[in-house]
Amino acid sequence: MLGINKLSLQINDRMLFNEVSFLVNPTDKVGLVGSNGAGKSTLLKTIAGEASVDSGSISKPKEFKIGYLPQELPLHDGRTVMEEAESSLGEIKHLQSSIDDINHQLATREDYETDSYMKLIEDLNYYTDRFNLVGGYTYHAQLEKILLGLGFKPADFHRQTIEFSGGWRMRIELAKLLLGAHDVLLLDEPTNHLDITSIIWLEDFLKNYEGAVVMVSHDRAFLDEITKRTVEIVNGKVYDYPVPYSRFVALREERRTLQFQEQKNQEKEIKQTEELIEKFRYKASKAAFAQNLIKKLDKMDRIEIDDDDARKINFRFPPAPRAGKVVLKAEKVGKAFGDKRIFKNVDVEVVRGEKVAFVGQNGQGKSTLVKIIAEHLEHEGKLELGHNVTFGYYAQEQAKTLAGDKTLLETIEDAAPEDLRKKSRDYLGAFLFSGEDVDKKVKVLSGGEKGRVALCKLLLFPHNLLIMDEPTNHLDLKSKDMLKNALKQYDGTLVVVSHDRHFLQGLTDKIYEFRDGAVNEFIGDIDEYLEARKLEDFRQLEKEKDATKVKAEAIEKAKLAETGLDYKERKQLEKDLRKAEKEVENLEQEIEKLESEIEEIDLKMLDPEQFKVLSEQAGFYDSYEAKKVSLEKKMRQWESAQEKLQKVSK
């Protein structure tokens, strides 16, 4: 297991971590949460060994492998997608090279009886076993599976990485990480560059991942699907909840309510004690009593309410001016960049008051169509805005269009119409920029803060059409909720590109799916769309399964006809088969029991008080390790029994 032991880190006058401690068990799926600046990314860097702290330690077993995906990674050129992905397989490549070298020596040498020749055979056996253990014979298929799941096509495998955008190259880095046999994965916003389809695939992959996962994510649905445990960082402390994110939110509110009540009771007790001190401190007969009360107050730990970063962006979009019934209409629209065709013959119609989502894999043309609408990008076909339509546009890289050398106040004042300039501070205040914050240069802001400034600019003019391309990127969970509420209350028309399912839930009533060069209309919200897509994919899968099943049955019949076994031989085989099945079943029951006992101990070790009691028991660690050794032995026996069962079955 991975132990985070009393980590402390002070930055300027702020205590980022104050003796932070918790354990990560072998199969834990942990969501690391907290407000902006709480230290989530710093904690992941510290665990990964890429940042240091003032005191404390990270404990882990020998040869424990940690995989770390930061939000941004250095990218490398000069390789194909497959070559870059395979670059993470250092041990496998080294073993393959060693095996090839030994085989070459064995083929050319003739000193068969010498010790050195026998040593080569021993080394070959060792390297071959190790090569098999680390997935040397299966890594290529696994790598292809991961790349396909992340949205790459087989034709992409041999393209140069430099041909891909930064988002797609980050997917290659994610593939390299997922391919490695890590004991724990540390993931910092892993969905930032993924579309909905790839996010759903990654959910399934991580849910079934054999190691532990600790992740930071602003995607609520993603956290709820994968994590079973939530660790919150607040005020330099951590609170550990054995529940997914949504359940954690409710439990955290219960904790704060309890803290408020305890603080109220404590303040009442303090007030009564101070009144008693004041009453008796000058009476000789009660002086000692008063002094005891004073000491009691001095020793009392004052209850503090956890800083929940209760500030929230608070705004509404201006009322939308009246527009014509048809706000946007596209007929036979197409777009190609050189020889690369994005889409063609696209028909889209958006009427007044509709809220529409563009969804689909990255690279299918969602942002391209948005740019055709908002930036007048050259295109094929016909696209028109309706009568009296004025639109506000939030580009995917909107934050990068802000002038870095301007202050926040200058940015809003310069963009605002004359009658609103005096209210620039009020607008910034609604987006949590107050006091001296407004005099900061834009270039020193975080990605989320720049996103809030860009949203603030959208409020300066009334629009009856909002076009928003990935507006939730870099926004924290609370800011995303406030933006969603503001858009739900907005009385104009909305076109939004997003991969965030929770953000889209209940927000849009029509979806345009971008897929394989075409754009298809779907009436309904994101949940209904995903359910329909799942059903469509399932039907296709069933068709493929049926065809495969018929083929397999024909092959099996042919094999049985070829065996020519008589009655007695078949009966013996059936007996051997039942025996092998029983052996596997018994071992599985024993393994399940051992895993349950180990899991129960692991849960107790999560509680500091129970951990202390357990660690003081004589022979506890020996017993714990013995169970793990026994489990490994049973697993080996089970593998052997499975091989025997498969052999008999054949």
Side-chain angles (χ1 to χ4, degrees), residues 290-436:
Q291 285 300 316
N292 286 333
L293 291 177
I294 292 171
K295 290 178 182 177
K296 177 184 175 183
L297 280 184
D298 290 340
K299 292 180 180 179
M300 184 179 291
D301 290 330
R302 303 301 171 100
I303 295 171
E304 295 181 1
I305 306 300
D306 291 333
D307 178 15
D308 192 35
D309 193 14
R311 302 180 307 152
K312 295 180 180 178
I313 59 173
N314 187 18
F315 69 97
R316 278 192 166 194
F317 289 99
R322 182 76 174 177
K325 182 179 179 182
V326 177
V327 173
L328 167 69
K329 188 165 186 175
E331 295 180 323
K332 306 298 180 183
V333 170
K335 181 63 183 174
F337 293 98
D339 295 333
K340 184 174 176 58
R341 167 64 58 181
I342 307 301
F343 50 70
K344 63 180 179 179
N345 296 328
V346 170
D347 294 327
V348 170
E349 182 173 286
V350 180
V351 301
R352 185 177 61 239
E354 275 190 328
K355 291 184 168 61
V356 177
F358 288 177
V359 303
Q361 282 191 327
N362 289 351
Q364 293 292 325
K366 303 185 298 297
S367 294
T368 300
L369 184 55
V370 162
K371 288 177 181 177
I372 290 173
I373 299 168
E375 299 179 8
H376 309 295
L377 188 67
E378 186 180 344
H379 62 278
E380 305 157 4
K382 183 179 178 182
L383 188 142
E384 292 181 342
L385 294 178
H387 174 68
N388 201 36
V389 170
T390 63
F391 65 83
Y393 176 41
Y394 185 100
Q396 187 170 159
E397 301 298 332
Q398 183 75 26
K400 293 183 179 179
T401 66
L402 301 173
D405 289 327
K406 286 186 178 182
T407 66
L408 275 65
L409 187 59
E410 289 169 343
T411 300
I412 300 304
E413 284 180 340
D414 291 350
E418 187 65 36
D419 59 327
L420 290 182
R421 285 182 184 171
K422 293 180 180 179
K423 296 184 178 180
S424 293
R425 286 181 180 272
D426 295 336
Y427 276 95
L428 285 167
F431 286 86
L432 309 184
F433 300 112
S434 57
E436 296 179 358

Side-chain angles (χ1 to χ4, degrees), residues 163-372:
E163 297 178 33
F164 293 86
S165 67
W168 280 95
R169 295 179 73 177
M170 286 297 290
R171 293 188 188 206
I172 300 173
E173 297 301 317
L174 179 56
K176 289 161 64 175
L177 188 71
L178 298 182
L179 186 62
H182 298 103
D183 296 288
V184 63
L185 293 177
L186 308 177
L187 308 176
D188 197 352
E189 295 293 353
T191 65
N192 265 0
H193 303 285
L194 302 182
D195 50 60
I196 289 178
T197 305
S198 297
I199 289 173
I200 292 173
W201 177 87
L202 182 59
E203 282 176 0
D204 289 335
F205 184 93
L206 293 177
K207 281 192 289 189
N208 296 311
Y209 189 71
E210 292 182 357
V213 178
V214 181
M215 76 170 85
V216 174
S217 178
H218 289 153
D219 187 328
R220 182 177 314 206
F222 188 70
L223 285 172
D224 279 340
E225 279 294 322
I226 298 166
T227 63
K228 303 297 181 186
R229 182 177 161 203
T230 303
V231 173
E232 180 192 29
I233 306 178
V234 57
N235 284 346
K237 298 179 289 186
V238 296
Y239 293 91
D240 200 337
Y241 298 81
V243 294
Y245 179 80
S246 293
R247 179 65 182 133
F248 146 76
V249 172
L251 291 177
R252 178 184 58 185
E253 194 54 40
E254 291 175 12
R255 186 190 81 220
R256 283 173 52 79
T257 301
L258 182 61
Q259 285 179 334
F260 274 116
Q261 187 59 49
E262 289 175 344
Q263 187 185 61
K264 186 177 179 181
N265 292 339
Q266 188 183 64
E267 287 172 351
K268 183 178 179 181
E269 181 185 354
I270 290 170
K271 183 179 179 182
Q272 291 173 344
T273 304
E274 288 174 341
E275 288 174 353
L276 285 173
I277 291 170
E278 194 62 31
K279 181 178 180 181
F280 295 126
R281 72 189 309 166
Y282 300 112
K283 293 184 179 180
S285 61
K286 298 290 186 179
F289 176 62
Q291 285 300 316
N292 286 333
L293 291 177
I294 292 171
K295 290 178 182 177
K296 177 184 175 183
L297 280 184
D298 290 340
K299 292 180 180 179
M300 184 179 291
D301 290 330
R302 303 301 171 100
I303 295 171
E304 295 181 1
I305 306 300
D306 291 333
D307 178 15
D308 192 35
D309 193 14
R311 302 180 307 152
K312 295 180 180 178
I313 59 173
N314 187 18
F315 69 97
R316 278 192 166 194
F317 289 99
R322 182 76 174 177
K325 182 179 179 182
V326 177
V327 173
L328 167 69
K329 188 165 186 175
E331 295 180 323
K332 306 298 180 183
V333 170
K335 181 63 183 174
F337 293 98
D339 295 333
K340 184 174 176 58
R341 167 64 58 181
I342 307 301
F343 50 70
K344 63 180 179 179
N345 296 328
V346 170
D347 294 327
V348 170
E349 182 173 286
V350 180
V351 301
R352 185 177 61 239
E354 275 190 328
K355 291 184 168 61
V356 177
F358 288 177
V359 303
Q361 282 191 327
N362 289 351
Q364 293 292 325
K366 303 185 298 297
S367 294
T368 300
L369 184 55
V370 162
K371 288 177 181 177
I372 290 173

Side-chain angles (χ1 to χ4, degrees), residues 13-33:
D13 59 346
R14 183 183 170 210
M15 205 69 179
L16 193 64
F17 306 137
N18 187 8
E19 295 196 341
V20 166
S21 297
F22 61 95
L23 295 172
V24 179
N25 292 300
T27 58
D28 278 349
K29 304 292 186 287
V30 182
L32 190 61
V33 303

Side-chain angles (χ1 to χ4, degrees), residues 512-529:
Y512 283 99
E513 179 194 37
F514 289 65
R515 190 180 187 187
D516 298 331
V519 179
N520 301 307
E521 182 183 85
F522 180 89
I523 305 299
D525 71 1
I526 189 65
D527 287 335
E528 293 169 321
Y529 158 75

